[in-house]
Amino acid sequence: MKKLTCALAAGTLLALSSLAAPANALPAHPIPSATVSGDVANARYHYAPRRVCTVRTVVTRGYHGRRVVKRVRVCRGR
């Protein structure tokens, strides 16, 4: 039990000391000699709209009144 209490106290002190220290992950001022490439800075995702196509069945009357069944592809897009 004594070891568990000591380990818990050590862990608490370590957590509190890490929260009290300032973060050094990002410097306040960027380094002037480091430049960013223009290709990387202006990279964008190009969105190409897809055409949505469906197949419709069209029934008409042909010569002598016979049924003519056609399958027509209908697309909607920009």
Side-chain angles (χ1 to χ4, degrees):
M1 189 72 176
K2 189 175 180 181
K3 288 182 182 180
L4 181 64
T5 306
C6 187
L8 186 61
T12 305
L13 286 175
L14 183 64
L16 288 176
S17 66
S18 67
L19 289 176
N24 292 333
L26 184 66
H29 300 287
I31 302 169
S33 63
T35 59
V36 177
S37 169
D39 296 335
V40 175
N42 294 328
R44 293 183 187 167
Y45 177 72
H46 179 69
Y47 172 72
R50 290 182 138 184
R51 293 175 52 175
V52 179
C53 298
T54 56
V55 177
R56 291 186 183 168
T57 304
V58 178
V59 179
T60 57
R61 298 289 173 179
Y63 193 65
H64 296 297
R66 293 192 179 106
R67 282 180 62 179
V68 176
V69 179
K70 284 200 236 177
R71 292 206 164 89
V72 180
R73 185 176 181 192
V74 179
C75 297
R76 67 176 174 90
R78 292 184 181 194

